Amino acid sequence: QRIQSDIELLAQGQRAHRNASQRLAAAGQYAAPQMLAALQDENQSRLHPYILASMVTIGQPLVAPLAEALPQLDPVPMRQVAQVLAEIGYPQALPAMKQILESPTSDPDARAAVQSAYSSL
C-alpha cells in the first residue's frame, strides 16, 4: 500500500515527488512490480513520465526485475522500459533485450526501441 501511495505522490508537486522518490528508492526492487503495473494501466497515464523518471533515479536495483519483465510487456511499456534500462546503463539487461530482438513475434516498433537501447548499453 505504501509503494502504491508513493507512486501516486510522484505527480503531487516537487516536495511530494522528492519524498516519494526517496521512499521508492529505499524499496528498490520491491517497487518494480507496482511501478510496472502502473505503466501498463492507461488510467494512470498522467503518472507515466514521473514513474519513468523515478525508475531511472532508483537505478541498479530495478535492472533485474525490469529485465525479467521486459519480454512480457506490451509494446508501449516495452519501449519505455527499454529506454529506462538504457539510461540506467547496467549490462545485465542485455540478455532480455537480445531475446526480444531475436523473437519473430516482437512488435516492430518495440523491437526498434529495444535495438536502440541494446546498442546504447
Side-chain angles (χ1 to χ4, degrees), residues 103-116:
S103 173
T105 59
S106 296
D107 179 73
D109 292 334
R111 184 181 296 140
V114 171
Q115 177 63 52
S116 174

Side-chain angles (χ1 to χ4, degrees), residues 80-98:
Q80 294 170 330
V81 170
Q83 180 60 39
V84 165
L85 288 168
E87 289 180 36
I88 292 172
Y90 281 83
Q92 289 87 348
L94 291 174
M97 290 180 180
K98 188 71 169 172

Side-chain angles (χ1 to χ4, degrees), residues 5-48:
S5 68
D6 285 335
I7 290 170
E8 292 168 8
L9 285 174
L10 289 172
Q12 300 296 322
Q14 249 182 344
R15 176 180 244 167
H17 177 82
R18 185 179 62 246
N19 292 337
S21 290
Q22 289 173 348
R23 287 189 296 269
L24 289 170
Q29 67 186 10
Y30 300 107
Q34 289 177 323
M35 293 176 97
L36 285 169
L39 276 179
Q40 292 178 320
D41 185 0
E42 286 301 317
N43 295 329
Q44 297 186 30
S45 62
R46 67 178 180 76
L47 295 174
H48 291 180

